[in-house]
């Protein structure tokens, strides 16, 4: 598939040339990092702290909730996992909400919903009350997960889009660490107070996030879709690496939105189709080969990110360490803090490398390392189970080391790149809804894993459960290797040319490189 083959399918404007202005003219390869784009991407991505904190704090809080409310393991599974199912509702409507009120106010809305959920959980007097709080918080999580990477991708220049779009995952990991620290800090309090403070404190960050987001500009792509070209130009001038790049990015966005390139009015009328009409039909009912490939890649990367069982390692780490022979609550919670530190440190490595070495290298290294680590964890837990009457210090050390390796390998690739990749491959007209589908696949898979993990390990042993996750990680590696092309350095509007040939994407990429060289030599 060549760059010219996507004209009618890509923009709904038959006969229009679709070679991206950015691709045609080219951009300098070396850029000074845009500090303004960095700052607003960080601010938007901080909404992900909310999910991270909830994930981390619930792993330890369940120890005390079970003792206080006298609930069963099945109820614990539902308490832990259903927030991901509830978040499906949030992510399902987040795309349309963000197209309606804008990316910025959608972030504020997400923070407000999560604030209400955290307050409800903190004041819960029984299991039913607690589940109502989880439901409300889950809606906010769904909103936050969809909108943060979309906003970061849409304000970032191509030179650093990968690192800026990975920030949501950075803050998820930071939130997990905060949750673990909160568990340890409040664990000494009276039983009825401790876990309620652990959950209720999660409301505090959402207040500051909602206020801080008001200082951010709106996404330039959303502004163009509203016909506000002058406002979009102002944002692009501040978030691009140069004035020339700002002009090229605006031209790309106008082309993708179905607007003439020479249209320069401050406010214009946008074709109705660009406002989201027919998006679901194009995504699901009548997708072109390009859209079908993008959809498989975007949903697949999110599915395998969670099917690898990483959330079971993070959310049930105290149980894993108990099975490994660590009995004291304080020791288990300290070990989980080590998990949080490992996640946070290695996600920073990915942030610095994603725009230097590319998405595929990090993704494949991460997935391969995760598979090996899961195999080691499964082996250690199986040995401890088999020799239950003996204290095998080396096996306990192996379980702790491999659990830390699991989150480390996950964080250098599969964690951040799922969000980076899915937010950049969908075309502008499909991006909000496409990304919301990715979030839905991610949260549904995570919910299934978390809501079945305890029952699963009771049925096939905890070692058997992690052998199963190892197999899923191997399948994920094969999927990533065969179906996901490299997207490093390409503008969002160029992305469609890479997709549509499925397993033959390498030949498509070679053809695009050849055409680029011909354009450069002609210039």
């Amino acid at each position: 598939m060549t760059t010219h083959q996507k004209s009618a399918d890509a923009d709904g404007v038959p006969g229009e040339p679709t070679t991206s202005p950015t691709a045609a003219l080219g951009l300098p390869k070396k850029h000074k990092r845009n500090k303004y784009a960095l700052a607003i991407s960080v601010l938007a991505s901080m909404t992900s702290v909310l999910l991270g904190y909830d994930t981390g704090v619930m792993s330890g809080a369940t120890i005390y909730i079970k003792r206080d409310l006298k609930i069963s393991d099945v109820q614990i599974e539902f308490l832990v996992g259903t927030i991901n199912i509830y978040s499906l509702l949030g992510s399902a409507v987040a795309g349309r909400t963000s197209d309606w009120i804008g990316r910025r106010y959608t972030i504020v809305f997400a923070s407000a919903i999560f604030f209400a959920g955290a307050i409800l959980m903190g004041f819960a007097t029984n299991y039913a009350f607690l589940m109502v709080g989880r439901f409300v918080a889950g809606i906010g999580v769904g909103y936050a997960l969809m909108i943060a990477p979309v906003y970061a991708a849409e304000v970032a220049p191509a030179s650093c889009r990968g690192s800026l779009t990975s920030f949501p995952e950075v803050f998820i990991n930071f939130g997990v660490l905060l949750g673990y620290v909160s568990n340890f800090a409040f664990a000494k309090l009276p039983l009825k107070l401790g876990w309620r403070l652990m959950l209720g404190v999660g409301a505090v960050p959402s207040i500051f996030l909602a206020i801080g987001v008001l200082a951010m500009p709106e996404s330039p792509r959303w502004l163009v879709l509203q016909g506000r070209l002058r406002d979009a130009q102002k944002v692009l001038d501040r978030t691009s690496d140069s004035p020339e790049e700002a002009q090229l990015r605006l031209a790309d966005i106008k082309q993708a939105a179905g607007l003439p390139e020479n249209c320069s009015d401050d406010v214009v009328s946008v074709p109705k189709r660009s406002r989201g009409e027919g998006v679901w039909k194009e995504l699901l009912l009548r997708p072109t080969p390009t859209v079908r490939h993008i959809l498989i890649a975007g949903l697949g990367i999110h599915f395998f990110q969670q099917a690898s069982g990483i959330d079971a390692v993070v959310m049930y780490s105290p149980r894993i360490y108990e099975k490994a022979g660590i009995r004291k609550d304080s020791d288990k919670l300290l070990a989980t803090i080590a998990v949080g530190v490992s996640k946070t440190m290695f996600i920073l490595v990915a942030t610095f490398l994603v725009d230097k070495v590319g998405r595929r290298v990090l993704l494949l290294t991460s997935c391969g390392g995760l598979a090996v680590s899961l195999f080691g964890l499964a082996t250690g837990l199986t040995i401890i189970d088999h020799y239950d009457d003996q204290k095998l210090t080396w096996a306990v050390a192996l379980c702790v080391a491999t659990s830390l390796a699991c989150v480390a390998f996950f964080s250098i690739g599969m964690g951040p790149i799922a969000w980076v990749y899915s937010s950049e491959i969908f075309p502008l007209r499909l991006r909000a809804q496409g990304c919301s589908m990715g979030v839905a696949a991610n949260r549904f898979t995570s919910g299934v894993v978390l809501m079945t993990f305890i029952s699963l390990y009771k049925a096939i042993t905890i070692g058997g459960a992690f052998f199963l996750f190892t197999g899923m990680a191997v399948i994920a590696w094969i999927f990533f290797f065969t179906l996901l092309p490299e997207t490093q350095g390409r503008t969002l509007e160029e992305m469609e040319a890479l997709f549509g040939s499925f397993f033959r994407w390498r030949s498509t990429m070679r053809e695009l490189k050849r055409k680029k060289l011909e354009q450069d030599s002609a210039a």
Side-chain angles (χ1 to χ4, degrees), residues 21-356:
T22 308
L25 297 180
L27 289 172
K29 294 189 181 298
K30 297 291 183 182
H31 300 281
K32 184 178 179 181
R33 189 177 292 275
N34 186 300
K35 292 180 181 178
Y36 181 71
L38 173 66
I40 60 177
S41 295
V42 166
L43 195 55
S45 302
M46 285 176 70
T47 55
S48 301
V49 168
L50 306 176
L51 170 63
Y53 182 84
D54 183 87
T55 300
V57 80
M58 192 55 74
S59 71
T62 52
I63 298 172
Y64 306 102
I65 292 171
K66 185 176 181 181
R67 291 174 190 168
D68 185 22
L69 301 183
K70 306 294 191 294
I71 57 178
S72 67
D73 279 343
V74 173
Q75 288 175 303
I76 289 291
E77 284 181 321
F78 271 85
L79 178 65
V80 169
T82 49
I83 193 170
N84 295 299
I85 305 301
Y86 300 148
S87 70
L88 294 177
L89 297 175
S91 62
V93 296
R96 181 52 64 94
T97 304
S98 69
D99 282 346
W100 178 41
I101 65 173
R103 313 318 194 206
R104 188 173 63 143
Y105 287 115
T106 303
I107 294 174
V108 176
F109 190 50
S111 299
I113 297 174
F114 190 87
F115 172 84
I119 292 294
L120 288 171
M121 289 190 290
F123 284 98
T125 54
N126 53 47
Y127 183 73
F129 196 160
L130 188 58
M131 291 299 289
V132 171
R134 295 294 279 171
F135 173 76
V136 176
I139 301 296
V141 164
Y143 267 92
L145 277 176
M146 195 288 291
I147 197 59
V150 168
Y151 181 88
E154 291 185 347
V155 299
S159 62
C160 57
R161 187 180 60 247
S163 59
L164 296 189
T165 310
S166 68
F167 281 161
E169 184 70 17
V170 173
F171 284 104
I172 287 176
N173 288 341
F174 181 63
V176 168
L177 178 57
L178 288 179
Y180 288 156
V181 171
S182 176
N183 286 335
F184 188 74
F186 295 125
K188 304 293 185 184
L189 294 176
L191 179 61
K192 291 185 179 297
L193 178 62
W195 67 264
R196 289 179 170 87
L197 276 177
M198 292 176 190
L199 300 181
V201 163
V204 175
S206 60
I207 300 172
F208 296 103
L209 289 174
I211 296 171
V213 165
L214 296 176
M216 292 163 28
E218 185 50 83
S219 156
R221 286 177 172 82
W222 184 81
L223 291 171
V224 169
L225 288 180
Q226 307 308 304
R228 295 161 56 183
L229 298 188
R230 182 174 177 80
D231 291 338
Q233 181 68 67
K234 288 179 181 178
V235 177
L236 288 169
D237 286 341
R238 298 193 68 184
T239 59
S240 298
D241 292 322
S242 67
E244 293 77 19
E245 188 193 7
Q247 290 295 331
L248 292 171
R249 287 175 69 189
L250 180 61
D252 280 345
I253 297 168
K254 286 195 294 186
Q255 177 179 299
L259 294 173
E261 189 176 341
N262 59 2
C263 179
S264 59
D265 295 338
D266 291 351
V267 179
V268 299
S269 176
V270 179
K272 284 187 177 181
R273 190 174 180 275
S274 295
R275 294 182 181 272
E277 296 182 11
V279 166
W280 293 112
K281 182 184 294 185
E282 184 176 357
L283 270 174
L284 301 175
L285 300 181
R286 297 177 184 172
T288 62
T290 297
V291 171
R292 188 180 297 114
H293 187 182
I294 289 172
L295 193 62
I296 290 171
L299 297 185
I301 196 170
H302 276 293
F303 168 77
F304 282 114
Q305 187 205 51
Q306 294 301 330
S308 65
I310 190 64
D311 272 4
V313 176
V314 174
M315 290 289 281
Y316 290 113
S317 50
R319 283 179 179 258
I320 294 169
Y321 292 140
E322 185 175 346
K323 286 287 185 181
I326 301 173
R327 305 299 179 195
K328 288 179 62 178
D329 284 352
S330 58
D331 290 343
K332 286 185 282 188
L333 295 178
L334 274 175
T336 61
I337 290 177
V339 170
V341 170
S342 179
K343 277 179 68 67
T344 305
M345 285 176 54
F346 281 91
I347 189 66
L348 293 174
V349 173
T351 300
F352 290 116
L353 291 180
V354 67
D355 283 316
K356 292 184 173 66

Side-chain angles (χ1 to χ4, degrees), residues 476-497:
W477 193 94
I478 295 169
F479 176 84
F480 297 153
F481 182 79
T482 55
L483 273 174
L484 272 59
E486 179 59 70
T487 59
Q488 178 193 12
R490 297 195 176 266
T491 70
L492 297 181
E493 285 65 41
E494 289 179 303
M495 209 65 71
E496 285 178 88

Side-chain angles (χ1 to χ4, degrees), residues 351-402:
T351 300
F352 290 116
L353 291 180
V354 67
D355 283 316
K356 292 184 173 66
V357 303
R359 284 57 160 155
R360 277 178 58 83
V361 171
L362 287 178
L363 192 60
L364 294 173
T365 302
S366 166
C367 192
L370 178 62
V372 172
S373 302
L374 286 168
F375 182 80
L377 179 59
T379 302
L381 289 168
T382 301
I383 291 171
I384 290 171
D385 250 358
H386 191 67
Y387 297 97
D388 194 34
D389 55 337
Q390 300 179 37
K391 179 71 173 178
L392 301 175
T393 306
W394 67 269
V396 174
L398 174 64
C399 290
V400 173
T402 50

